[in-house]
Amino acid sequence: MPQSVLVLNGPNLNLLGSREPEIYGRETLADIAALCRDAGKRLGLAIDFRQSNSEAELVGWIQEARGKKAGILINAGALTHTSISLLDALLASELPVLEVHLSNLFRREDFRHHSYVSRAARGMICGLGSQGYVLALEAMARIVGEAPATPSKAKPKTPPKGKRTK
Ligand code: DQA
């Protein structure tokens, strides 16, 4: 049985595709879910992809994930900048958490520069659009130990004779 990763999306992310496309792009949330499922197959992870406009529902899903999921990838939308409840739920889950945002928060308004979610996250990717979800899943696969050995663990190549500098 592959390990399962909970991919959570917060308020207004259901509107992707038509919501401020100059910031968030033209891809829909269903497109991003398909990208995540494809990446999951490649990485040996089951993807449980969800979206809610309700903070309470998101907190409930995070609470249920404890002990059942291998990790949580979260784009909390605007709750990123406001929700101590989400932060507390993520900390209580005791799961590895990765934070993703489609847009580059640091090129935007000041109020988007602070993230409560980040205090619970191992790392954060922002500004790379839907690719950020895929990159975060690759990182998650390594964190939960499902990914094949990293290239850095491979034997270093010896340069051909005559080309050695020392
Ligand atoms: C977002 C950034 C948030 O500031 C915003 O409220 C969102 C989307 C992003 O993915 O870029 O809803 O999380």
Side-chain angles (χ1 to χ4, degrees):
M1 266 267 281
Q3 302 200 69
S4 178
V5 174
L6 182 60
V7 181
L8 286 183
N9 295 276
N12 300 307
L13 291 166
N14 55 316
L15 301 178
L16 286 179
S18 59
R19 172 194 182 198
E20 298 181 275
E22 64 291 351
I23 296 175
Y24 298 115
R26 289 266 172 215
E27 277 171 299
T28 64
L29 195 63
D31 295 332
I32 296 177
L35 272 180
C36 288
R37 291 198 182 99
D38 283 352
K41 274 187 202 136
R42 179 166 55 80
L43 296 163
L45 297 173
I47 303 299
D48 184 354
F49 192 96
R50 304 184 192 191
Q51 187 274 334
S52 179
N53 292 328
S54 151
E55 184 175 18
E57 191 162 36
L58 291 163
V59 167
W61 287 339
I62 294 167
Q63 289 183 3
E64 284 167 18
R66 187 183 169 158
K68 296 200 185 96
K69 302 290 181 187
I72 300 175
L73 194 157
I74 182 164
N75 180 352
L79 292 173
T80 304
H81 318 297
T82 61
S83 179
I84 299 171
S85 310
L86 269 190
L87 166 63
D88 284 348
L90 290 168
L91 291 171
S93 77
E94 292 182 347
L95 291 170
V97 173
L98 293 177
E99 177 180 5
V100 178
H101 299 281
L102 295 156
S103 62
N104 181 346
L105 303 181
F106 304 100
R107 291 183 77 171
R108 302 186 64 194
E109 304 94 321
D110 286 355
F111 63 83
R112 293 185 207 274
H113 296 183
H114 176 263
S115 163
Y116 283 105
V117 169
S118 288
R119 290 192 73 106
R122 297 261 187 119
M124 189 252 255
I125 296 176
C126 75
L128 300 180
S130 58
Q131 200 200 352
Y133 283 71
V134 174
L135 294 171
L137 283 174
E138 286 171 4
M140 186 63 86
R142 290 218 160 82
I143 291 168
V144 305
E146 287 286 326
T150 53
S152 61
K153 283 189 185 151
K155 228 177 136 194
K157 275 191 193 150
T158 334
K161 274 191 181 154
K163 295 218 169 162
R164 293 190 191 189
T165 46
K166 280 184 190 167

